[in-house]
Amino acid sequence: MIAAISHPLDEQLATLLQRLGGAADNAALRLLAKYVSESTRNGVIAAPLAGLPNFDRDAVQGAVVGEPGDYKPLILGDSHAWLYRYWRYEERLVGCIRERLARGDAFQIITGGPGTGKTTTVTRTLAHLLEQGIRPERILLAAPTGKAAMRMQESITETRQRLAFPTEIAERIPTQASTLHRLLGFIPNRVGFRHHAENPLPADVVIVDEASMIDISLMTHLFEAVPPQAKLILLGDKDQLASVETGSIFRDLCAAPALQGSITVLQKSYRFGAEDGIGQLAQAIRDADEERLLEVLASPEFPEVSLDESGGGLDAAFLRHGWAAYADAVQAGETEAVFSAFNALRILTPLRKGRQGVEALNVWVDGVMQRLLPVQSGVLRPWYVGRPVMVTQNDYRQNLFNGDIGIALPNASGELRVWFPTGEAGQYRAVAPIRLPAHETAWAMTIHKSQGSEFTRVLLILPEAEDLPLLGRELLYTAVTRAKQGIHVLANRATLGRALRLVAPSASCLRVKLE
């Protein structure tokens, strides 16, 4: 249903289409345009017409509304409506998938929660491919963000060392991963990429991690750029949040009966056992079992998970304890220890604005933590030694990407620099603060931004607003599964119950079109 107060973008699109269609008084057209625009902004590619119960489809036929296959701004099907751009992406993606299905074994999805062995499975797959004669340089690894690409590198490197492969195979298993934009050949100010169907990637195998974060546009460009004869493997967690952009494509693909022969579902967790509270919480969320969720949070059997319903807000003492080792590491100036200690705790929230949003929380935590961190003369606010920042805009020249985390520390000359992991174990590089792309303080981050990350402990803050559309089951699951050893939740039971009951609808018609 359309929101009571329309977004300005929805209103502007409706006005434009009325004018282009020569139907300034066509209320049905305006209603359809606003509904499809709002749905698209909320991540739904194919807007179900069931959301417009009194809609008169005969009243909108004309210059700006067409049937599937027409080249018009709005596409109106039997049960769904699309903006043309997204209908076309859906059609192109379906075509690519059908071609791969016809070839038999050129497409695979591996889905599972944290600790279910996705990296182990793919590393064994890499070893098997090398044994079959695939050259390492013809195997490409990628992820949607720089942070996720780095995690992929680290995970495969660690798994390669842990598994007992023959030396000649282990040494050839590739570990270098890039962002999808870099892999496909990002062109500034262009929608397309250098690699596409007519100029495909030079690869026999392409493996992409954190595929749940890929939107419809990027997924389509990826499928088109991978040669039809090459094997494409997507790794992800179908229960996790969808992409910030349009479309929960990975989840919709996992639900398609036509693809079940290409999907491997990993269910056994090697990280969380039956006695582990985080694993129990994750399972309760997947099962939408509110009673079990609250039981685990309250049980003394699971001291690593807890719920605070007092509404008292953040506790400075909790933060000082959680980041005490971080303050010590910053004082000692040991870069690797600093990054390790910083990940001991992270504050997560679904909001950016408001009292419980990222912006306000970071200001408050700044005040608490600066009293623990060393003072350096000549450093101007907002900078200080130990300030963690997150990059919010890709900068290919600096090799910094949206989601990358850096920490401000002095270099050997005593000058403040922001240090970032290079992707090689124990290696970091320094960037002058003035040369950073857009960034923000990172004590607290949105749950969306936390995708692809893991923290020892998580402090999860959930707002009480009843009409918050962001707070659903996928968001709650993603937040809980960022924690490795413990999670403390600031929320009331009603908020948790609403989140558990709210499930994002299917975003596309991929499942139907593939059958």
Side-chain angles (χ1 to χ4, degrees):
M1 294 297 291
I2 290 184
I5 301 177
S6 298
H7 192 281
L9 286 177
D10 306 338
E11 293 286 356
Q12 290 170 18
L13 178 64
T15 300
L16 174 64
L17 293 183
Q18 281 184 311
R19 179 164 56 82
L20 292 176
D25 59 347
N26 190 329
L29 173 59
R30 186 171 193 86
L31 181 68
L32 178 65
K34 287 167 59 177
Y35 176 60
V36 175
S37 178
E38 179 187 10
S39 298
T40 305
R41 280 192 303 100
N42 290 330
V44 177
I45 297 163
L49 294 179
L52 293 176
N54 298 317
F55 172 66
D56 181 3
R57 62 185 303 130
D58 294 331
V60 300
Q61 302 300 327
V64 295
V65 180
E67 299 178 348
D70 290 343
Y71 184 56
K72 293 184 179 180
L74 290 177
I75 300 299
L76 185 60
D78 292 336
S79 58
H80 292 78
W82 299 257
L83 292 176
Y84 174 81
R85 176 187 177 190
Y86 293 101
W87 174 84
R88 184 65 185 139
Y89 276 140
E90 203 173 82
E91 291 291 309
R92 287 161 57 187
L93 182 55
V94 166
C96 289
I97 293 173
R98 282 178 177 157
E99 182 178 3
R100 291 191 172 276
L101 290 176
R103 287 180 172 270
D105 64 348
F107 174 49
Q108 186 180 7
I109 289 175
I110 300 174
T111 179
T116 53
K118 294 191 294 295
T119 303
T120 300
T121 300
V122 80
T123 306
R124 287 197 168 116
T125 299
L126 287 169
H128 180 63
L129 291 168
L130 292 170
E131 289 171 346
Q132 290 181 319
I134 302 292
R135 303 200 310 273
E137 64 271 19
R138 298 285 296 179
I139 300 174
L140 303 180
L141 309 177
T145 66
K147 178 175 59 178
M150 190 174 299
R151 283 266 336 273
M152 186 183 192
Q153 288 181 189
E154 293 168 350
S155 297
I156 292 178
T157 299
E158 185 275 328
T159 305
R160 182 180 67 174
Q161 295 169 347
R162 177 169 50 82
L163 298 178
F165 294 120
T167 303
E168 65 273 15
I169 293 295
E171 291 177 347
R172 297 171 64 222
I173 292 177
T175 60
Q176 187 65 41
S178 70
T179 65
L180 274 176
H181 282 79
R182 184 175 290 279
L183 178 78
L184 298 176
F186 172 76
I187 304 173
N189 304 317
R190 289 273 301 277
V191 174
F193 296 88
R194 284 198 305 274
H195 290 290
H196 43 73
E198 284 69 45
N199 181 33
L201 290 162
D204 295 321
V205 180
V206 177
I207 301 176
V208 182
D209 199 6
E210 296 291 349
S212 66
M213 298 169 66
I214 306 175
D215 63 35
I216 181 65
S217 171
L218 194 55
M219 188 74 84
T220 302
H221 287 296
L222 169 65
F223 268 80
E224 291 178 339
V226 176
Q229 70 278 10
K231 190 173 187 68
L232 175 60
I233 302 175
L234 302 179
L235 307 174
D237 185 347
K238 63 182 177 60
D239 296 310
Q240 196 171 294
L241 271 171
S243 70
V244 178
E245 304 299 332
T246 306
S248 54
I249 303 306
F250 186 75
R251 188 186 63 188
D252 288 358
L253 292 178
C254 288
L259 298 182
Q260 293 311 299
S262 303
I263 298 174
T264 300
V265 180
L266 304 176
Q267 295 180 313
K268 180 180 179 180
S269 176
Y270 296 92
R271 180 185 305 166
F272 304 127
E275 70 288 346
D276 186 280
I278 297 173
Q280 292 292 315
L281 283 183
Q283 188 61 50
I285 295 168
R286 281 196 296 264
D287 296 341
D289 189 338
E290 183 177 351
E291 182 178 349
R292 179 58 178 161
L293 177 74
L294 296 174
E295 181 182 280
V296 172
L297 284 169
S299 173
E301 292 182 44
F302 307 111
E304 70 274 24
V305 301
S306 55
L307 173 64
D308 181 353
E309 299 182 75
S310 68
L314 277 176
D315 180 357
F318 181 92
L319 300 183
R320 286 193 291 268
H321 174 74
W323 273 309
Y326 176 73
D328 291 343
V330 170
Q331 190 78 46
E334 300 168 356
T335 307
E336 188 163 3
V338 167
F339 275 86
S340 177
F342 180 56
N343 283 334
L345 175 66
R346 196 61 47 87
I347 303 170
L348 300 182
T349 173
L351 301 175
R352 286 201 57 81
K353 305 288 185 182
R355 184 174 60 88
Q356 295 176 310
V358 163
E359 294 176 2
L361 289 171
N362 276 319
V363 170
W364 187 81
V365 179
D366 259 344
V368 173
M369 294 304 298
Q370 284 187 63
R371 290 193 284 274
L372 300 180
L373 297 168
V375 177
Q376 183 175 354
S377 61
V379 177
L380 301 178
R381 290 191 176 188
W383 290 103
Y384 54 88
V385 175
R387 181 193 181 200
V389 296
M390 175 188 287
V391 174
T392 58
Q393 181 180 349
N394 292 339
D395 185 336
Y396 288 86
R397 184 172 299 177
Q398 296 278 356
N399 200 32
L400 292 172
F401 303 96
N402 189 357
D404 286 355
I405 296 287
I407 296 176
L409 298 168
N411 61 13
S413 303
E415 301 164 315
L416 195 70
R417 294 291 183 264
V418 184
W419 298 80
F420 292 89
T422 64
E424 300 294 327
Q427 299 298 307
Y428 301 86
R429 63 191 179 95
V431 179
I434 197 171
R435 300 193 65 185
L436 287 182
H439 57 275
E440 61 188 20
T441 307
W443 299 109
M445 60 200 302
T446 63
I447 299 170
H448 265 102
K449 286 287 190 181
S450 74
Q451 290 185 90
S453 298
E454 290 178 343
F455 314 108
T456 306
R457 293 186 62 80
V458 164
L459 174 60
L460 176 60
I461 302 175
L462 299 179
E464 297 179 9
E466 294 188 15
D467 59 348
L468 186 67
L470 291 172
L471 188 52
R473 190 184 305 168
E474 295 88 354
L475 200 82
L476 188 58
Y477 173 83
T478 300
V480 166
T481 54
R482 297 313 90 200
K484 292 192 291 186
Q485 295 182 16
I487 183 167
H488 183 57
V489 183
L490 299 184
N492 60 44
R493 294 181 176 225
T495 297
L496 287 169
R498 282 194 299 270
L500 212 58
R501 292 187 292 273
L502 180 60
V503 180
S506 178
S508 71
C509 285
L510 288 172
R511 182 171 57 179
V512 175
K513 289 181 178 181
L514 285 169
E515 292 176 9

